[in-house]
């Protein structure tokens, strides 16, 4: 928690000082830290349930049916396109403000 908070503060301070690369690096670091913590917490939360069910599953293997995740894939693609459009828009605005100064 403390590393995530420190990274967030570093990103905000660097952004206020217009140190873009430092702010970007700190933000990416915080995102990776959040993803790692999510995996650790998920494994810890599910460990008691998976230990017992894995022993039963080893005794009687069952192959689950394969189903697609079209809805999740579509949401990902829409979010990706929206994110790229937002970044493009911010770059255009940043270039315009640089020309006015």
């Amino acid at each position: 928690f403390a590393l995530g908070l420190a990274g967030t503060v570093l990103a905000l301070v660097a952004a206020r000082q217009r140190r873009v690369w430092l702010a970007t690096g700190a933000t990416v670091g915080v995102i990776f830290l959040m993803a790692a913590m999510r995996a650790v917490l998920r494994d810890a939360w599910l460990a008691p349930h998976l230990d017992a069910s894995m022993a039963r599953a080893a005794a009687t293997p069952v192959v689950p049916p394969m189903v697609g995740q079209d809805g999740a894939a579509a949401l990902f693609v829409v979010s990706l396109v929206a994110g790229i459009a937002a970044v493009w828009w911010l770059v255009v605005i940043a270039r315009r403000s640089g020309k006015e100064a």
Side-chain angles (χ1 to χ4, degrees), residues 2-86:
L3 285 175
L5 189 59
T8 303
V9 169
L10 175 64
L12 292 173
V13 169
R16 292 282 291 164
Q17 295 176 353
R18 299 187 186 272
R19 298 175 69 186
V20 176
W21 291 111
L22 180 59
T24 303
T27 302
V28 169
V30 168
I31 290 171
F32 279 124
L33 181 66
M34 288 170 43
M37 285 305 300
R38 178 185 174 272
V40 168
L41 290 173
R42 182 191 62 224
D43 290 344
W45 186 273
L46 294 176
H49 305 289
L50 292 180
D51 290 340
S53 65
M54 294 305 264
R56 284 192 305 260
T60 58
V62 176
V63 178
M66 296 296 290
V67 294
Q69 295 186 0
D70 298 332
L75 180 62
F76 171 76
V77 170
V78 168
S79 299
L80 179 66
V81 170
I84 291 171

